[in-house]
Amino acid sequence: MGRVFNFSAGPAMLPAEVLERAREEMLDWHGSGMSVMEMSHRGKEYVSIAEKAEADLRELMKVPANYKILFLQGGASSQFSMVPMNILRGKTSADYLNTGHWSEKAVAEGKRYCNVNIVADTKGSKYTTLPKAGELSFNADAAYVHYTPNETIAGVEFGYVPDTGDIPLVADMSSTLLSRPVDVSKFGIIYAGAQKNIGPAGLTIAIVREDLIGHAQAGTPVMFDYKTHADNGSMYNTPPTYAWYVAGLVFEWLKERGGLEGMALINERKAKKLYDFIDGNDFYSNPVDRDCRSWMNVPFILANSELDKAFLKEAEAAGLSTLAGHRSVGGMRASIYNAMPEAGVDALVDFMADFARRNG
Ligand SMILES: *Cc1c(COP(=O)(O)O)cnc(C)c1O
């Protein structure tokens, strides 16, 4: 069997070109006589791989010089704790926007360290809406403001960056990082687990403004202190070397495709195709407000949910894999990250149209 179009929310598809390159370099990386997996992380070969990946990410995202890029482990979930541990800086509260499943998790963990003020909450709409920029206001004594620009499960995405003035803005970009340009200078911390839109699971990227480093609260484990990783080039201990290398291949792949500006054009077009089809058809629907629909995660339901099982089974047989919605919401979800080719979205739309014709 050939490769399927894999609509998984994560771990998700990687570009075929990246996997082929990793295969070519698997046994003998650039004449080193060994696999990247077998290299010392302190050897000159691996250090060159790591530095190139960081430089390429800095270039892709135009990361300003006063930000460190950290290559960590522990997933985005560890950042839910690492953020308050590091940047409360003696303050006792932080503001959080609660806009979905992942925000809820961040809020729950934040509450273990400080008073959490929920400054926006869209639970009442079942997380199908987002606050408008003008509706947001923040507490002047908040240590930081945390939000989730793209909620992977409900499929809502902010079309703007909240203006928090001097309060550091922290963003969980796990399912949107690298999908379009972002102005990093508006953020205090950006973090993301790699397995959605960056590379293999096991790597977590944090982009941290330098003035927020070095303030970890007393008792913070050394591995949870940003300063530990910033001072040691993310090599205080053994980093996730192979995942870092593959992420580097993805960064090169993105640079060859017009960078994030190029990806944004493709991603917007892919998402529009799928939403336009869903909206133009009584058989399917998407519950999310039109002005905050995600480019990356597209949930949809069938008007007749008794057909869900048949839909998923026939889709799988047609090479369209992992379309079931998250277990908490049901229905379907198509995750269409950077690595999903436009042909995958075309194949999905064709299949959906055919299924509707046969079952409508
Ligand atoms: C997947 C996801 C997480 C959890 O990531 P882990 O790396 O598994 O901890 C957190 N936030 C968002 C927005 C996600 O999509």
Side-chain angles (χ1 to χ4, degrees):
M1 186 177 185
R3 278 174 63 74
V4 298
F5 291 119
N6 177 5
F7 293 90
S8 170
M13 266 184 107
L14 284 165
E17 295 85 354
V18 164
L19 296 175
E20 279 161 2
R21 171 101 182 263
R23 176 175 64 189
E24 281 160 24
E25 297 178 347
M26 177 64 72
L27 292 175
D28 174 12
W29 184 84
H30 296 203
S32 64
M34 60 179 87
S35 163
V36 174
M37 273 182 263
E38 303 166 306
M39 288 177 181
S40 162
H41 57 295
R42 303 197 190 280
K44 70 176 188 323
E45 285 96 349
Y46 189 77
V47 167
S48 76
I49 291 170
E51 285 177 350
K52 170 90 166 48
E54 181 183 336
D56 283 346
L57 179 58
R58 200 170 272 281
E59 182 183 329
L60 279 168
M61 291 188 66
K62 303 185 173 64
V63 178
N66 63 324
Y67 286 75
K68 290 276 196 266
I69 301 180
L70 307 179
F71 292 79
L72 308 173
Q73 303 183 57
S77 302
S78 290
Q79 295 306 306
F80 298 162
S81 353
M82 212 159 159
V83 166
M85 283 174 149
N86 279 271
I87 69 165
L88 278 173
R89 294 161 293 153
K91 295 188 186 246
T92 55
S93 74
D95 287 358
Y96 279 70
L97 279 65
N98 184 40
T99 59
H101 175 92
W102 294 111
S103 304
E104 282 183 1
K105 293 247 160 129
V107 165
E109 191 62 17
K111 282 181 176 165
R112 293 162 47 92
Y113 299 93
C114 65
N115 298 316
V116 166
N117 296 311
I118 306 288
V119 293
D121 195 339
T122 55
K123 191 170 181 146
S125 73
K126 296 207 167 93
Y127 297 129
T128 59
T129 58
L130 287 176
K132 307 259 181 301
E135 294 165 15
L136 292 173
S137 67
F138 304 100
N139 294 293
D141 57 352
Y144 60 89
V145 175
H146 181 282
Y147 84 122
T148 312
N150 184 76
E151 284 281 359
T152 321
I153 292 177
V156 291
E157 183 162 17
F158 282 80
Y160 66 94
V161 177
D163 180 1
T164 59
D166 292 337
I167 311 171
L169 179 61
V170 179
D172 173 2
M173 292 206 187
S174 293
S175 48
T176 180
L177 196 80
L178 303 179
S179 69
R180 58 170 100 189
V182 287
D183 181 352
V184 176
S185 72
K186 291 184 173 166
F187 297 85
I189 299 176
I190 291 170
Y191 65 85
Q195 68 275 17
K196 278 50 183 271
N197 207 23
I198 302 170
L203 170 68
T204 308
I205 288 180
I207 302 173
V208 187
R209 211 174 62 209
E210 279 172 354
D211 62 287
L212 297 173
I213 297 173
H215 307 285
Q217 66 179 42
T220 298
V222 66
M223 283 295 291
F224 273 66
D225 187 340
Y226 288 128
K227 190 171 185 337
T228 303
H229 302 285
D231 287 351
N232 292 282
S234 302
M235 294 202 189
Y236 172 77
N237 74 326
T238 316
T241 51
Y242 198 74
W244 187 337
Y245 153 75
V246 176
L249 298 183
V250 171
F251 302 153
E252 286 184 28
W253 183 86
L254 290 170
K255 282 175 61 179
E256 287 160 11
R257 277 159 188 76
L260 304 192
E261 291 77 11
M263 288 322 294
L265 294 174
I266 299 169
N267 286 329
E268 183 174 22
R269 193 165 68 224
K270 277 157 50 186
K272 184 171 186 318
K273 242 182 214 177
L274 188 48
Y275 286 118
D276 281 353
F277 172 75
I278 291 169
D279 291 342
N281 195 305
D282 290 339
F283 198 87
Y284 304 100
S285 64
N286 167 285
V288 177
D289 240 21
R290 281 173 196 238
D291 56 5
C292 56
R293 285 173 163 179
S294 169
W295 286 4
M296 297 282 100
N297 310 97
V298 182
F300 60 92
I301 55 171
L302 276 55
N304 176 2
S305 62
E306 282 171 17
L307 291 170
D308 284 5
K309 274 206 175 101
F311 179 92
L312 290 169
K313 190 163 168 239
E314 290 178 31
E316 194 77 49
L320 307 168
S321 177
T322 333
L323 280 162
H326 189 267
R327 59 186 188 280
S328 65
V329 292
M332 315 299 158
R333 173 178 50 175
S335 294
I336 50 174
Y337 301 117
N338 288 342
M340 173 60 66
E342 200 156 350
V345 174
D346 292 339
L348 175 61
V349 166
D350 287 348
F351 169 80
M352 287 169 73
D354 182 54
F355 187 86
R357 257 193 309 275
R358 285 185 288 109
N359 295 279

